[in-house]
Amino acid sequence: MNSQHKLADYVRILARGKNASRSMSYEEAQFTMQTMLAGEYEPEQLGAIFMLMRVKEESAEELAGFAAAINQLWPADIPADLIWPSYAGKRRQPFWCFLSALLLTQMGYRILFHGTEAHTSGRLYMADVFAHFRIPVAGTLNDILSISATAPLMYLPCSVLNPQLQRWLSLKSILGVRSPINTVMKTIAPASIASVQGVFHPNYAFTHIDAARLNQNDALVIKGEGGEFEVNPERDCTAQSFFAQEAGEIHIPKLASHIDDKPQNTDIDWLAQIWQGKAENTYANSAILQTAALALCAIERNNDIDTALQRCRDAWNNRDRSLLA
């Protein structure tokens, strides 16, 4: 007789019907993700867990438990000031948040992006931007320990953390919809390093903040352009924060309901043109500075957006325009 698989009870938690099913506890979710990261699962279990969670929507405890398991993969003492996940990709606008991060490096901060290879057609991914500008991409986990004042910006493919993660993200073409792994990857961060997170659905911001609280991670979450951590200056922006074990909010009013010069494509060349001052764009400048200011609030664990905006404006006016050539 075949013995029961170790994950069978955890599938059952989610699948016992309308009245008997429930969400996983933090500890149950953590065990489930640890087991799957180790490759100790059957494909039927993976599909069932991901899709059952998607139907009911992930709880903060499930999100935090999954993230806690993945966070065990990080090496110790990563010399970064901010963790910046990028998983949604862009289909309407260039990656203005890349210039926001570059601006913060001009201010002396070290930033580690992590993200995915392309998993949805018709989108540009942050990995493409890093490759285009020949900015370091980590090939091993040890590579991210080399972030420094002279090389303050780096990209980590999630497959370097664990190859399973990228494979699961790519399941959209098989399952037809995104799975909870798309959500949880935005919430992971090493202990003691703040993160910024962009969501597409505003209500998810509260789930992300609750997950950060459960894991005692400092985090700032917004409804970002296309689901990335990037302010859309045509909309009011409300950021949810969790700093020093205290929740808060930051409000940035929209610049205008419609900005005439908003670019209509994801062309990477826009980024070099704007950074080098060869082109001026109202939408781009607002998106870059407001995103950078929110990220600065995360780095410094405070909600003083007015001071952060002024510091970012000053840095923008004095940036090294020779970069990205």
Side-chain angles (χ1 to χ4, degrees):
M1 181 181 294
N2 292 333
S3 60
Q4 179 171 282
H5 193 282
K6 65 170 69 177
L7 283 182
D9 284 339
Y10 296 83
V11 176
R12 186 178 298 115
I13 289 169
L14 302 169
R16 293 182 64 192
K18 184 170 63 174
N19 296 322
S21 297
R22 61 173 174 84
S23 295
M24 291 186 192
S25 69
Y26 180 99
E27 292 77 14
E28 290 164 344
Q30 185 176 22
F31 175 82
T32 298
M33 180 53 69
Q34 287 171 334
T35 302
M36 294 196 302
L37 285 170
E40 299 173 2
Y41 65 90
E42 297 298 326
E44 296 87 348
Q45 294 171 323
L46 181 81
I49 289 168
F50 280 175
M51 291 299 95
L52 288 166
M53 287 178 67
R54 178 179 170 84
V55 168
K56 72 173 186 61
E57 295 190 358
E58 310 92 308
S59 69
E61 289 76 14
E62 289 170 330
L63 201 58
F66 274 13
I70 299 170
N71 282 339
Q72 293 173 351
L73 302 173
W74 295 106
D77 302 321
I78 298 172
D81 298 301
L82 184 68
I83 300 297
W84 199 313
S86 179
Y87 286 87
K90 289 297 212 88
R91 64 182 179 87
R92 290 190 297 259
Q93 286 283 302
F95 266 109
W96 302 123
C97 59
F98 172 80
L99 296 188
S100 305
L102 188 62
L103 179 63
L104 290 169
T105 67
Q106 299 268 285
M107 299 167 70
Y109 298 107
R110 299 157 298 177
I111 297 176
L112 176 64
F113 277 88
H114 64 86
T116 176
E117 299 167 11
H119 58 70
T120 301
S121 62
R123 289 181 180 265
L124 181 76
Y125 289 86
M126 186 63 78
D128 303 317
V129 178
F130 271 72
H132 181 87
F133 291 119
R134 299 181 298 280
I135 295 175
V137 174
T140 69
L141 283 177
N142 281 337
D143 289 344
I144 65 179
L145 301 178
S146 65
I147 299 173
S148 65
T150 56
L153 189 59
M154 186 176 290
Y155 180 86
L156 173 71
C158 67
S159 59
V160 175
L161 270 178
N162 186 303
Q164 302 264 25
L165 299 172
Q166 181 59 51
R167 195 176 79 79
W168 296 341
L169 286 167
S170 301
L171 288 175
K172 182 183 177 184
S173 62
I174 296 173
L175 299 174
V177 293
R178 296 188 180 196
S179 74
I181 197 67
N182 295 81
T183 304
V184 73
M185 290 308 294
K186 297 181 180 183
T187 71
I188 67 170
S192 79
I193 305 178
S195 71
V196 290
Q197 304 168 26
V199 299
F200 186 79
H201 299 290
N203 288 341
Y204 265 95
F206 298 99
T207 307
H208 282 242
I209 287 297
D210 284 343
R213 175 182 54 79
L214 289 167
N215 282 332
Q216 294 299 291
N217 293 139
D218 291 314
L220 189 146
V221 186
I222 65 170
K223 172 177 167 53
E225 203 288 313
E228 293 283 344
F229 184 82
E230 180 182 297
V231 175
N232 179 347
E234 292 183 333
R235 298 175 183 165
D236 294 333
C237 177
T238 298
Q240 305 297 328
S241 65
F242 183 80
F243 301 142
Q245 301 187 40
E246 185 175 338
E249 285 189 349
I250 301 172
H251 300 281
I252 300 178
K254 64 186 176 186
L255 184 65
S257 296
H258 176 75
I259 300 172
D260 290 337
D261 66 357
K262 181 174 70 173
Q264 300 298 316
N265 59 61
T266 61
D267 193 344
I268 294 176
D269 288 340
W270 268 108
L271 302 179
Q273 294 288 314
I274 295 295
W275 181 268
Q276 294 167 9
K278 295 177 180 177
E280 289 292 331
N281 188 276
T282 303
Y283 181 100
N285 281 19
S286 295
I288 294 163
L289 292 177
Q290 291 174 0
T291 303
L294 285 174
L296 181 57
C297 287
I299 292 170
E300 300 198 338
R301 274 82 162 181
N302 67 59
N303 290 341
D304 188 356
I305 188 63
D306 292 333
T307 298
L309 275 168
Q310 188 55 56
R311 288 175 60 191
C312 290
R313 289 190 193 101
D314 292 342
W316 182 256
N317 292 334
N318 294 290
R319 69 192 185 278
D320 179 358
R321 299 188 182 210
S322 68
L323 301 179
L324 306 184

